Structure formats: C-alpha cells, structure tokens
C-alpha cells in the first residue's frame, strides 16, 4: 500500500499538476478491479462522460469526486479479477501455441491436443449460450 501523498499541488512540476491520484479504501475497492474496470469499454465511457474539452479533454477534480461507477462487493470484485486472470492465462497459452505452430510445424499433432482443451465440450450448448435470447430459445 502506498499511503497518503505528501506533496502539495504547488510542489509539482507543471506537467504533473494536471494529474490526480485516486486513493482507494482497500476494505471497499480492490485496486486491481478498478484498474480492470477502467480498461474496459464501460470504464472508458465513464471517463469520457466526465471529460470536458475537445482539443485535449480533461476531467476536473469535482467531476472525479462525484463520478459514479460500478463497484460490486469485495468478494465479487475478487471473482471478476480471477476470471480475467484465467482468460488472460488462456489467451497467453493460445498465443504461445500459435507461435509454436509456425516455429515447429512438425509438432502439429501435439499442438492440436493442447488446442482441444480450449474447445467447447458441447457445441450445441456453447451456441445456445452465445446467441441472443430470441434466437437461442
């Protein structure tokens, strides 16, 4: 944990005066969750809705202080982080398999076995989950 910032706005260089540090209460918000949220489309839309100016949009301190965003309870935040970590790990594994196919095409049979782990177990159930409601029913 970083603690409280001791600098005053006057002590900062001109470039840094336009930055804000958001301190989170770890009993309420997991910083990894908040980071993930603002990396997603929803988070970008939240920031864009608070930004002012067209040439170089910026967010005022008062906009930051009154900004509302999705914040589930802490156990749910941890579950979401875990899900994103699993997806990232799976994506990294698939990227590695792709590179290895081109680097060692003679090992294709072995690579195909690794790819099977990422295929849906039941294609019909997978399609039903992926289609919008009226089409899936």
């Amino acid at each position: 944990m970083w603690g409280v910032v001791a600098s005053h706005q006057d002590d900062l260089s001109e470039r840094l005066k336009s930055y804000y540090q958001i301190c989170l209460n770890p009993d309420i918000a997991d910083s990894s969750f908040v980071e993930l949220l603002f990396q997603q489309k929803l988070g970008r839309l939240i920031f864009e809705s608070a930004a002012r100016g067209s040439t170089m949009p910026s967010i005022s301190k008062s906009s930051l202080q009154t900004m509302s965003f999705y914040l589930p309870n802490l156990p749910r935040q941890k579950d979401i982080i875990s899900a994103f970590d699993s997806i990232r790990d799976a994506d990294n594994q698939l990227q590695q398999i792709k590179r290895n196919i081109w680097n060692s095409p003679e090992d294709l049979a072995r690579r195909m076995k690794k790819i099977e782990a990422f295929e849906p177990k039941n294609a019909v159930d997978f399609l039903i989950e992926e289609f919008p409601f009226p089409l899936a029913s």
Side-chain angles (χ1 to χ4, degrees):
M1 188 174 298
W2 291 96
V4 178
V5 177
S7 295
H8 295 288
Q9 191 81 359
D10 296 337
D11 297 336
L12 299 172
S13 68
E14 286 303 314
R15 195 184 80 151
L16 293 178
K17 286 185 180 183
S18 61
Y19 290 88
Y20 292 104
Q21 179 180 4
I22 300 172
C23 299
L24 303 171
N25 179 340
D27 296 330
I28 299 171
D30 186 300
S31 61
S32 295
F33 173 82
V34 175
E35 178 184 2
L36 277 173
L37 171 67
F38 287 110
Q39 289 173 350
Q40 306 310 308
K41 186 175 184 176
L42 174 61
R44 288 192 299 273
L45 287 171
I46 291 168
F47 267 108
E48 288 171 9
S49 70
R52 300 292 174 253
S54 57
T55 306
M56 184 176 235
S58 62
I59 300 174
S60 68
K61 182 178 179 181
S62 62
S63 292
L64 276 176
Q65 290 173 325
T66 59
M67 183 183 292
S68 296
F69 60 90
Y70 174 65
L71 191 63
N73 62 37
L74 212 46
R76 178 59 56 134
Q77 291 176 49
K78 300 224 182 269
D79 290 343
I80 292 170
I81 293 166
S82 179
F84 268 83
D85 287 345
S86 295
I87 292 167
R88 185 192 62 235
D89 292 346
D91 186 51
N92 288 340
Q93 289 176 32
L94 287 170
Q95 294 302 323
Q96 183 65 41
I97 291 168
K98 280 201 285 190
R99 282 190 298 276
N100 289 339
I101 286 173
W102 289 110
N103 294 336
S104 310
E106 63 277 0
D107 289 338
L108 189 56
R110 191 174 63 137
R111 308 266 184 254
M112 289 303 293
K113 291 226 183 278
K114 288 183 178 181
I115 292 170
E116 287 173 8
F118 294 96
E119 292 177 347
K121 303 300 181 221
N122 181 335
V124 173
D125 289 343
F126 174 76
L127 290 174
I128 289 173
E129 288 178 21
E130 294 300 313
F131 276 123
F133 170 69
L135 295 176
S137 56

